[in-house]
């Protein structure tokens, strides 16, 4: 046998004995990509889209713009372009993004048969081909580039990372650089006097809910009947009143499965070999949240604002959505949640002290809204002094008394910043509007939000008598009947959905 034949035989033999898992590793489209020599260890930042997730990803993204690259995995030019595209994508995509929430960079493999109709929809004429536009305009063919006055345009000058970023900078009137570092946010915006900025906080209250859930899971905090009861009550509050539809659905799904994953309050955290569900099997706001960054609550430094800001916005948004009969339930639920699950010990103790000062049960939702507001201001007053003496505050977002006069002049009766006399009626109206309609205004059309009745099904299915006494099925839910409305919701949801558990994915 000649040397050439021997080499050929050895190569074929190596293919035969190589495990399929190594030939077709995760993320590989085919053997063509494996033998291309591209063994980069860097994680791809561009989001892979296909016919099944294209609309949902682009509809739900918080980014203002999107780029969709249509390519074919067998195309050498596409493989050579990928490092350029990824170099730009690292600036905008993923939890380590330098400039998150601005541009969502994605790609679609048109060589996959399942994507044929999707690629035909955009009249792909060559590879790679890049499109730019508002994310929602890509959804369901709502903005085909061949139509006149379309908001989706072809990127005609983006064949290198430098040229693509220059094109993005021109469209966004920005000056991003490929060497930008994370992030000390040089382009952070002010949200003090811009009334519309709160609309971006829909994504932040999703992020805060998901981050709080992850903290509970990673630290395995549900260890007793007390913490189990506190957790269930908070999840019920989210299931009924979270401003984001996907968080309401995720919370409701946790209620359905809680008895199974946390029997008698003892939760399963580790995945078993039998594939049994754990509490972590049910992401509270869907599999794509948390995203790893905040928008309205993003600080000018890495260690400021973020989760704590998002949690406060979540509390405010919940307070303005409850009814009078739920006000005491919401109060005790939030107080217990912070006391049991907030990991900053000094913060937790201060918050718990303010809860204990309330001696009279809440009967009106208005009173609870104003309590959350005044409590937040008291926290800010305390932190203002600490941060001033230690220089630990965010220089772009110093703690202030809320709302400032610029946002609500009618909230102020008289007095200077040290001695303010509030018009509580106008403060209440402001808070209801700011954390209610204003918060959800920008993304209503994306179906991120919706009526709270959608948490279960049709609105009529939620109708219960106001004086009904309902005992939920399951020990975990039985402890949460402090409010008839919440007890009925939990009971109804669990009993109606229990037999349909295999359909547990909300995504």
């Amino acid at each position: 046998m000649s040397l050439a034949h021997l080499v050929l035989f050895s190569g074929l033999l190596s293919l035969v004995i190589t495990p399929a898992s190594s030939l077709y590793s995760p993320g590989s489209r085919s053997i063509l990509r494996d033998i291309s020599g591209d063994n980069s260890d860097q994680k791809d930042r561009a989001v892979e889209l296909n016919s099944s997730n294209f609309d949902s990803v682009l509809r739900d993204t918080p980014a203002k713009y999107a780029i969709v690259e249509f390519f074919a995995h067998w195309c050498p030019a596409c493989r050579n372009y990928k490092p350029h595209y990824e170099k730009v994508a690292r600036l905008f995509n993923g939890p380590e993004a330098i400039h998150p929430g601005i541009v969502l960079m994605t790609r679609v493999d048109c060589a996959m048969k399942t994507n044929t109709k999707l690629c035909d929809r955009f009249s792909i004429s060559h590879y790679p081909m890049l499109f730019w536009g508002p994310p929602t305009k890509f959804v369901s063919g709502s903005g085909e580039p061949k139509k006149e006055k379309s908001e989706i345009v072809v990127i005609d000058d983006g064949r290198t990372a430098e040229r693509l970023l220059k094109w993005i900078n021109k469209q966004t009137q920005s000056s991003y650089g490929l060497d930008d570092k994370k992030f000390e946010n040089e382009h952070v915006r002010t949200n003090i006097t811009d009334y519309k900025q709160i609309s971006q906080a829909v994504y932040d209250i999703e992020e805060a809910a998901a981050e709080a859930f992850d903290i509970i899971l990673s630290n395995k905090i549900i260890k007793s009947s007390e913490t189990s009861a506190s957790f269930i009550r908070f999840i019920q509050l989210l299931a009924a009143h979270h401003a984001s539809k996907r968080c309401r659905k995720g919370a409701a799904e946790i209620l359905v499965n809680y008895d199974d994953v946390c029997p008698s309050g003892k939760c399963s955290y580790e995945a078993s070999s039998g594939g049994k569900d754990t509490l972590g099997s049910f992401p509270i706001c869907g599999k794509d949240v948390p995203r790893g960054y905040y928008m309205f609550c993003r600080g000018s430094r890495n260690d400021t604002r973020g989760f704590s800001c998002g949690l406060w916005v979540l509390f405010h948004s919940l307070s303005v959505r409850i009814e009078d009969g739920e006000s005491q339930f919401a109060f005790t639920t939030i107080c217990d949640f912070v006391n049991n699950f907030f990991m900053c010990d000094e913060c937790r103790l201060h918050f718990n002290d303010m809860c204990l000062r309330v001696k009279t049960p809440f009967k009106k939702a208005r009173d609870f809204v104003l309590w959350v507001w005044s409590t937040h201001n008291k926290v800010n007053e305390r932190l203002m002094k600490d941060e001033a003496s230690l220089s630990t505050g965010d220089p772009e977002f110093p703690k202030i008394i809320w709302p400032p006069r610029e946002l609500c002049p009618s909230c102020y009766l008289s007095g200077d910043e040290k001695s303010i006399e509030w018009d509580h009626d106008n403060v209440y109206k402001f808070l209801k509007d700011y954390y209610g309609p204003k918060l959800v205004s920008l993304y209503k059309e994306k179906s991120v939000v919706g009526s709270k009745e959608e948490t279960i099904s049709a609105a009529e299915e939620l109708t219960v008598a106001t004086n009904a006494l309902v005992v939920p099925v399951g020990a975990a839910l039985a402890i949460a009947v402090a409010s008839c409305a919440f007890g009925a919701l939990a009971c109804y949801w669990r009993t109606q959905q229990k037999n349909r558990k295999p359909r547990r994915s909300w995504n």
Side-chain angles (χ1 to χ4, degrees):
M1 180 181 293
S2 67
L3 179 61
H5 285 91
L6 183 60
V7 170
L8 177 61
F9 176 76
S10 299
L12 290 173
L13 182 61
S14 66
L15 286 176
V16 170
I17 64 175
T18 299
S21 60
S22 62
L23 263 179
Y24 298 97
S25 58
S28 297
R29 291 295 182 182
S30 72
I31 191 174
L32 290 176
R33 184 166 292 182
D34 269 353
I35 66 176
S36 67
D38 181 12
N39 294 316
S40 173
D41 292 331
Q42 291 189 347
K43 182 179 179 180
D44 290 352
R45 293 302 181 191
V47 178
E48 295 273 352
L49 300 181
N50 53 54
S51 58
S52 62
N53 70 359
F54 186 87
D55 284 355
S56 61
V57 170
L58 289 165
R59 180 181 60 244
D60 294 341
T61 178
K64 187 175 182 180
Y65 304 102
I67 296 177
V68 182
E69 177 201 5
F70 292 92
F71 74 103
H73 62 254
W74 49 258
C75 165
C78 298
R79 292 199 297 273
N80 293 335
Y81 181 64
K82 182 179 178 181
H84 292 275
Y85 195 68
E86 285 292 332
K87 194 172 183 180
V88 178
R90 79 166 188 91
L91 297 175
F92 303 107
N93 283 20
E96 298 300 317
I98 314 301
H99 308 291
I102 298 168
V103 182
L104 176 69
M105 298 189 63
T106 68
R107 56 165 58 96
V108 176
D109 187 355
C110 292
M112 303 295 287
K113 290 185 178 180
T114 54
N115 295 332
T116 299
K117 290 184 178 179
L118 176 59
C119 296
D120 287 346
R121 200 170 90 193
F122 290 89
S123 303
I124 304 305
S125 59
H126 59 271
Y127 303 127
M129 193 171 183
L130 278 62
F131 294 96
W132 165 278
T136 55
K137 297 301 178 181
F138 286 94
V139 176
S140 298
S142 58
E144 295 181 26
K146 62 184 179 182
K147 292 184 178 180
E148 293 183 5
K149 299 181 179 180
S150 172
E151 294 184 63
I152 297 179
V153 297
V154 176
I155 299 178
D156 54 7
D157 188 20
R159 298 309 297 270
T160 65
E162 292 76 12
R163 287 161 67 177
L164 177 58
L165 188 57
K166 182 179 179 181
W167 199 95
I168 293 172
N169 281 334
K170 184 178 179 180
Q171 300 300 313
T172 60
Q173 297 182 337
S174 304
S175 55
Y176 306 126
L178 292 173
D179 296 325
D180 287 355
K181 304 298 182 183
K182 179 181 176 69
F183 14 84
E184 305 307 314
N185 303 335
E186 75 289 346
H187 63 281
V188 74
R189 72 211 168 273
T190 174
N191 60 15
I192 302 302
T193 57
D194 188 347
Y195 204 91
K196 294 181 181 178
Q197 289 292 349
I198 188 62
S199 61
Q200 297 191 15
V202 168
Y203 294 105
D204 288 358
I205 61 176
E206 289 182 334
E207 193 76 9
E211 190 167 350
F213 188 58
D214 283 356
I215 290 171
I216 291 170
L217 293 178
S218 60
N219 291 279
K220 303 178 181 178
I221 305 178
I222 304 174
K223 299 177 179 179
S224 65
S225 59
E226 179 186 357
T227 52
S228 180
S230 176
F231 176 76
I232 280 293
R233 285 195 294 267
F234 191 71
I235 295 301
Q236 285 186 309
L237 188 62
L238 298 185
H241 295 298
H242 198 293
S244 166
K245 181 168 61 178
R246 55 178 155 231
C247 294
R248 292 196 302 273
K249 288 182 175 179
E253 187 174 11
I254 291 172
L255 293 178
V256 171
N257 294 276
Y258 191 78
D259 273 351
D260 295 333
V261 298
C262 297
S264 302
K266 298 178 181 179
C267 295
S268 301
Y269 294 102
E270 306 296 338
S272 64
S273 57
K276 185 179 178 181
D277 286 332
T278 66
L279 189 58
S281 302
F282 307 96
I284 195 167
C285 292
K287 63 181 181 180
D288 297 323
V289 184
R291 304 173 184 89
Y293 59 86
Y294 288 83
M295 297 185 68
F296 175 81
C297 284
R298 187 183 182 197
S300 65
R301 300 204 316 243
N302 298 355
D303 59 348
T304 59
R305 307 186 81 220
F307 175 57
S308 59
C309 169
L311 202 59
W312 271 116
V313 177
L314 176 61
F315 291 165
H316 285 294
S317 68
L318 291 170
S319 74
V320 301
R321 286 171 170 78
I322 65 167
E323 305 295 337
D324 287 344
E326 302 164 345
S327 54
Q328 181 62 20
F329 176 88
F331 165 72
T332 56
T333 294
I334 288 178
C335 286
D336 288 346
F337 178 82
V338 173
N339 189 46
N340 286 307
F341 301 115
F342 198 63
M343 301 292 286
C344 171
D345 196 49
E346 183 178 353
C347 310
R348 179 182 63 81
L349 292 173
H350 278 293
F351 193 90
N352 188 53
D353 182 59
M354 289 184 285
C355 290
L356 293 175
R357 292 177 192 173
V358 178
K359 303 300 182 182
T360 304
F362 289 99
K363 295 182 180 179
K364 296 290 184 182
R366 176 185 182 276
D367 295 336
F368 178 59
V369 170
L370 292 175
W371 180 84
V372 174
W373 160 74
S374 64
T375 299
H376 194 177
N377 271 339
K378 289 174 184 176
V379 170
N380 276 355
E381 283 185 282
R382 178 175 60 84
L383 292 178
M384 283 165 63
K385 298 175 183 177
D386 295 343
E387 293 177 356
S389 62
L390 299 172
S391 300
T392 54
D394 191 320
E396 297 293 331
F397 296 95
K399 294 289 188 296
I400 63 171
I401 299 303
W402 190 263
R405 291 180 187 271
E406 297 91 330
L407 276 184
C408 186
S410 64
C411 292
Y412 291 73
L413 286 175
S414 62
D416 55 27
E417 296 304 318
K418 294 183 179 179
S419 179
I420 301 172
E421 186 178 355
W422 297 100
D423 184 326
H424 287 95
D425 287 337
N426 283 330
V427 170
Y428 175 67
K429 291 177 183 177
F430 170 82
L431 295 171
K432 283 282 288 184
D433 184 53
Y434 192 75
Y435 293 107
K438 284 290 188 298
L439 185 142
V440 302
S441 61
L442 186 58
Y443 294 108
K444 260 190 174 180
E445 69 276 11
K446 290 188 176 185
S447 298
V448 173
V449 298
S451 63
K452 61 187 178 185
E453 286 82 1
E454 291 174 293
T455 305
I456 307 301
S457 181
E460 59 271 15
E461 291 181 335
L462 278 176
T463 305
V464 294
T466 56
N467 60 350
L469 177 62
V470 181
V471 180
V473 175
L477 297 179
I479 59 179
V481 295
S483 161
C484 286
F486 284 91
L489 182 148
C491 178
Y492 180 86
W493 178 245
R494 184 174 182 82
T495 55
Q496 292 296 311
Q497 297 294 320
K498 194 68 176 176
N499 294 329
R500 292 189 285 172
K501 280 181 60 182
R503 297 175 58 195
R504 60 183 177 84
S505 175
W506 295 105
N507 302 295

